[in-house]
Amino acid sequence: MNYHQDSVSGVNIAYIGGGSRLWAWRLMADLALEEQLSGTIKLYDIDFESALENEQMGNLFSAHTAAKGKWRYQAVRSLKEALEGADFVVLSILPGTMEEMASDVHLPEKYGIYQPVGDTAGPGGIMRTLRTIPIYAGFAAAIKEFAPEAWIINYTNPMALCVRTLYEVFPQVKVFGCCHEVFSTQELLAAVVEDQLGVKGVTRAAIRTNVVGINHFTWIDQASYRGTDLFPVYRRFVDKHFEAGFATPGKGPWTKNVFNCGNRVKFDLFRRYGLIAAAGDRHLVEFLPPWYLKDLETVKSWQFHLTGIDFRRARLAEANQERREIITGKKEPKLEASGEEGVKLIKALLGLGDYVANVNLPNQGQMPDLPQGAVVETNALFRLNSVQPVVCRRMPPAISALVSRQVCNQETVLQAALTKDRTLAFKAFVNDPLVTIGLQEAEELFDQMLKNTKKYLPGWEV
Amino acid sequence: MNYHQDSVSGVNIAYIGGGSRLWAWRLMADLALEEQLSGTIKLYDIDFESALENEQMGNLFSAHTAAKGKWRYQAVRSLKEALEGADFVVLSILPGTMEEMASDVHLPEKYGIYQPVGDTAGPGGIMRTLRTIPIYAGFAAAIKEFAPEAWIINYTNPMALCVRTLYEVFPQVKVFGCCHEVFSTQELLAAVVEDQLGVKGVTRAAIRTNVVGINHFTWIDQASYRGTDLFPVYRRFVDKHFEAGFATPGKGPWTKNVFNCGNRVKFDLFRRYGLIAAAGDRHLVEFLPPWYLKDLETVKSWQFHLTGIDFRRARLAEANQERREIITGKKEPKLEASGEEGVKLIKALLGLGDYVANVNLPNQGQMPDLPQGAVVETNALFRLNSVQPVVCRRMPPAISALVSRQVCNQETVLQAALTKDRTLAFKAFVNDPLVTIGLQEAEELFDQMLKNTKKYLPGWEV
Amino acid sequence: MNYHQDSVSGVNIAYIGGGSRLWAWRLMADLALEEQLSGTIKLYDIDFESALENEQMGNLFSAHTAAKGKWRYQAVRSLKEALEGADFVVLSILPGTMEEMASDVHLPEKYGIYQPVGDTAGPGGIMRTLRTIPIYAGFAAAIKEFAPEAWIINYTNPMALCVRTLYEVFPQVKVFGCCHEVFSTQELLAAVVEDQLGVKGVTRAAIRTNVVGINHFTWIDQASYRGTDLFPVYRRFVDKHFEAGFATPGKGPWTKNVFNCGNRVKFDLFRRYGLIAAAGDRHLVEFLPPWYLKDLETVKSWQFHLTGIDFRRARLAEANQERREIITGKKEPKLEASGEEGVKLIKALLGLGDYVANVNLPNQGQMPDLPQGAVVETNALFRLNSVQPVVCRRMPPAISALVSRQVCNQETVLQAALTKDRTLAFKAFVNDPLVTIGLQEAEELFDQMLKNTKKYLPGWEV
Amino acid sequence: MNYHQDSVSGVNIAYIGGGSRLWAWRLMADLALEEQLSGTIKLYDIDFESALENEQMGNLFSAHTAAKGKWRYQAVRSLKEALEGADFVVLSILPGTMEEMASDVHLPEKYGIYQPVGDTAGPGGIMRTLRTIPIYAGFAAAIKEFAPEAWIINYTNPMALCVRTLYEVFPQVKVFGCCHEVFSTQELLAAVVEDQLGVKGVTRAAIRTNVVGINHFTWIDQASYRGTDLFPVYRRFVDKHFEAGFATPGKGPWTKNVFNCGNRVKFDLFRRYGLIAAAGDRHLVEFLPPWYLKDLETVKSWQFHLTGIDFRRARLAEANQERREIITGKKEPKLEASGEEGVKLIKALLGLGDYVANVNLPNQGQMPDLPQGAVVETNALFRLNSVQPVVCRRMPPAISALVSRQVCNQETVLQAALTKDRTLAFKAFVNDPLVTIGLQEAEELFDQMLKNTKKYLPGWEV
């Protein structure tokens, strides 16, 4: 890398999962719009063709007239090629395929277990985790060998256990996990300021929040706008909109899109627990007993959706289609800021200004009521080659109980995956809050789900 | 107190709940059979008449021809009178009456929630805890004022939160909690030795166990008989008796008595979790999702009973009847060792020999995977005026997950009780593993149960 | 307080030690130069006349033509008056008088113990601490009663034990301690950048450092200027200037002023220990065995000074003289920024922008190798009504050994002061690294010093 | 091994340092006198001739008419041969020779630093530790390869860092360290009982103590004889004998033997610190500033001795002479119990009865005020294949300060030894309480000492 007055050139980024559609494109856009950085991105993907198409996409973004940062994209055929010489490594993969996801999300429905996402907790989340951990153990070994000093940014879910696996296998790894779920809640708080205080044009950048918890089950325990503590304000806001729900700004009504929600679960959790739950409602409900997931009726009444795999398949096909249109010149690439923070964090790590962001890191003291080493999500201070989480207060005990339960289960899943222990994995499965069926039924379901994902469980006896 | 060559006279014991039937009588018998101790027992009870009858019972025990230790029993009218000058204080009360217990145990059945005991966990356990904590806060204040140096032995359930409340209110208190649930498992292990190793006449005293966990949800992670590690032996035993069950020695078949069990839950937990669960099956099942409590059919298939309140009422009436017969001379008092360890611990605390026993104490390092201060059950070394828990290994993560969940919930209940916070109490309620009903039904049930116990919730808005 | 677009008016500040010369005037200047704040400062001092003179001084500063923030100063006659209604409380007192300081600093010289400052560690530091703790226990009680929600900023030394005492007596207190010692090292690093990298005009604001340790014995373990890690740069710098020393920028040669130094101790510690010691050399040497304080020859060779009490007396007299000239109009008040950060932190706490600064706080996880609760100095993130320390890495073990030793001793002194325990205080005294004389001589010295400060030891048997 | 009714035969013991004189012979005697055990001892020593002579010695002990346990001794030529098949491994070596010890103990005297032992702390202790750690790292690797399930009993000094090194290199190792220093203090307490309470014939077995601290710097914080708390009794005893001193029972007056003392240091520490220091005075003084080691006059006034290396050489020659006489039949082997506890602990680990003893183990919670992992000395419960330390209370802060300082220094020495880091080792050296000389002199001394031991520092640049 070369440092100039206020910029850095020659930055090498490895993008693992480099054929990825949405996430890769967001980064491409943000990099193109960033004037202080330039360099090379190596795209590695088990689907090399997709990486190749992204190479073209990326170079088109970079060549865009509005692009300020010049980047060269290059698809490569091996992890090694991608990692060697990398200053930053982005991990953003789909562990398995839509087929496994279909089993994760829809098979439990036969037993009355509904999951809007199925990527972190719940039966689906556990299965996805079991197949992700061996992949990440491999990443850790490769990073140790080829890029031990690089900063690793993880976007893949299950976030906590991806990050945890990297640290477990290569303790010196410099990784943190980024997720945008908290951002929507910050945007909601910006809308709260407008709705309750009458201030127009507030963006999430003006909202200060302190985040505690674990990824997708994060909570805000301090929130302010300039000199105003937003907690009493949010309480009034919740009272006003509890019944009708409130659309997250910029996303439209909850009925418009399968990812949208009316924030009613968030409002209900605030009333019950006193902190501001800070993820999409569809994520939050998966960490709790089936209070909001009892049946489809209940789901609807709380104003969120189950994200079916058919929808995901269609979305993927559209994205492929869009990419082809762009690289064949039928369509213009759209160069707009994604709202993600990855590039901002990269800049801070390069010494281009301090930054405070919520990220996923092993607990090293920042969350006094969770075990050391568990991957938690809190604010952290980013500076040149340094990420330091800030120390948070203890969570209220009732929230601590909900979160701890998940952390314990995650630890069980990790050990089950690392030791390929079916019995241990089942213990985590039946301890999941969403699994309220009988032991026997649970075993049946577990068996089927495990079989459906066995291709990704090397060395397991399934 | 006066120390002699090998004995201590003039020992003052305060028995709070001194009108108690079974527990008080057991202590009376053990004290009468103990030749190294003598002294005075002051009996305090909110039912003074019952204490008076026990005074007569106790003095009859002491006057028994077979009695070796001479004790004077005296019913007193106030806590103060009982505590002043006490060297030891026994806490053994019924928090509330059979009426409240009926609500605790049977009301949830209307919602499909079955509880064999309802004294520690589950909806019933939570209600019982809520009404016990204010009583124990009062005890703590009285002990601080009248007997700050005395050793306190707690027998009351919910064990963990009784002990925890005393420490919370009076941190210098010298209390530990005794429970006999582990003893039956040790007796079972003695039977295992006979069944598998062919050694006759082994008693639980010859079995060495290390105990971890929380009261009524305790686990044995080391067990031996002389030079033999009992874990592989127990595994063979479980395989042999899994289907038919095995009656705990000295108790008869599981069908004989409502407190008996066939140990099938214990066997199943061993197969699933790898440690020896160490409490009656009726207790164990209450700390888990309704795996063994789905319906009455399931309960029966696992060979344990629900203890109905009618049964408890009848048992109490019988005990009253028996006491009357004894104190009117119609019946002889039976002087036999109870099998409880209280007197042995008292002796050790008086310097009459070291003793190692499993007791309930705040975590001060003995269980590295549970929070400091949480009341846990482990082995401890008893010596003159000293109780020191031994440090245990971490629990396997899947068991840790089950236990931690309860510990978190207990902490929530404690804070709810101390701050009279209905909302907080409900959070613990819906986080209980047995509460798998919907949020709305749960609130309904919680409301009714709380109303039924409101007499014991001073200062609450119910 | 009233919040406006980008400012806050009606801020109430209580200044305890409000007759103070240098520190109070610095704050007055900074407040006057701050356009986003205005309000009232109540000055309380046991020397009311001095507070009254400062009232005039302050109002003159505020009336200055260059003043942007309008403040009203008012001397008050009681702590209560000062504290009631305060949003912020500044604690900046001299515990005792020059007479006690003379004993602290000079009496040990008779035993060959030299102390350049004597305000934190060493025999003098211990004595000063013993008389400060009762005063701070009183402050804590008053804050609890009159201003429990106010933010407290401590400037008084001994910093760590002032802050620790407030937390010990009133655990809910919102206090942090500010010290400028690290700033000089940041200025030195700015000079390093100029000297080694050839960049002109770098100020300390452009230097990023991470601070660990305890007040006056702080260490920098990360330092950067934009994209440059300053550790290898500093090493070259130290090698170049080790022999001749290097004057801290803006302060002139070490011979010019009794507070100045040639930074040779700092350089030597860097070579020995690998981190950048971050306080004036005169402070650093007091926390170590008498390596740099063996005799006056040694002191000189390391290029720092002992600050005699005669010098301090003269300086105080000058300051009094200057104040009189200003309030009588003979001299203009000089309105220039002090370089202190107090006002910046106040602004951040009012929601006027995030700020990261090194401050003294109880360890709540930020320093994993020091005990919880010990007052440590690290960076912290300041936001609306919130201060959160950042989690640091473990110190190298050899530095940890030096710092832990002081922390243990501080804890002993605290307990000695709170329980008025002479014997305990002596244990801390003989465990101080500077006390290498024999036990008997040490007792003799301790006795004399204690007698000389007994006026400030109410309830002690001296 | 074969388990019988009340005994175990076929026990395999590896004795590393098997040519050792005193320690090996003590074990031989104790094993011969033990009727419940029999088996084989393999003797490994770098001095194979000495091991061979011990083989003969051992077999003579075993053939003795009074011998109850039958053991076969066999000298072997490699660690591997010794370890393979071992159930227990005894580590009891001299790290280096008398030549290195002469440098450790006597060279510092030229700088005014006196050390009575020089095996754990002080300049000599640090040097000895530096050469021991590589040897123990080798042991750890061999144990991992050849006897990973064996129980290891360490007798070698420096105790704490021998044990610590084994755990560091092979974390699953099952090692504890035994030292008899506490026993003498227990014997002293038995004498206290006789002197103050008039009870005759009390042995140390009847004294109950709780031990905290680190090896050779251990403290008793609870002591009792039956129902009597010995602390007030000891205080009276100290007052009575402070001036004249008191000979440890069974050892004779302090002037008789270079290992004896008058316990005056122990008495003085009790008066100053409130706990009963529990090691020979000659050990205790080495962990403190030179309070008791100022000069030879001071040493004498406190009634203990410096153990010169000439004395040790003579003692060794005598022992060699004695061995030759015994194996040539000129002299009868003396079969008497050594008073060591090793055999008792072996029996407990074999399931032949519980035992509580003070041993050295990594801190896993037993000493809440010392870092996890540091090797501490406390009581532990021994049972079949299990050692569990008991949890102790926090030490008084002034003692904690003294002990923590040593623990920090030990950690520094460990890391210096493992990484062969001369600079780091010097940091520990100058932080030792006995090193109160100037930095430059300290470097000079350190250099010389290091050179004198460089034969045992493979890979170091000296």
Side-chain angles (χ1 to χ4, degrees), chain C residues 112-116 217 219 242 263-275 277 280-306 402 433-434 436, chain D residues 426-427 430 436-440 443:
Chain C
I113 301 174
Y114 297 98
Q115 304 165 93
F217 198 45
W219 300 79
F242 184 79
N263 290 304
R264 293 201 67 217
V265 171
K266 204 173 276 96
F267 295 167
D268 195 49
L269 289 173
F270 182 70
R271 288 185 162 184
R272 293 184 184 283
Y273 288 93
L275 297 191
D281 288 7
R282 53 200 275 279
H283 284 293
L284 297 171
V285 295
E286 294 191 336
F287 292 83
L288 298 164
W291 300 336
Y292 308 101
L293 286 169
K294 198 177 161 195
D295 46 35
L296 296 175
E297 194 77 12
T298 306
V299 168
K300 202 173 158 189
S301 73
W302 288 106
Q303 301 188 352
F304 64 94
H305 304 273
L306 308 183
L402 298 174
L434 288 183
T436 56
Chain D
F426 181 65
K427 288 174 200 164
V430 290
T436 56
I437 54 181
L439 262 185
Q440 227 155 341
E443 285 215 59

Side-chain angles (χ1 to χ4, degrees), chain B residues 53 67-68 74 95 113 115 130 150 152 168 175 182 236 247 284 296 321 337 348 370 382 393 431 433 453-454 461:
Chain B
E53 293 197 4
K68 297 170 190 160
Q74 180 191 356
I113 301 174
Q115 304 165 94
L130 290 176
I152 319 296
E168 182 76 12
V175 65
V182 170
R236 294 197 302 270
L284 297 170
L296 295 176
Q321 175 62 23
L370 291 181
F382 282 71
R393 287 177 302 195
N431 196 37
T453 206
K454 75 176 168 188
E461 292 177 25

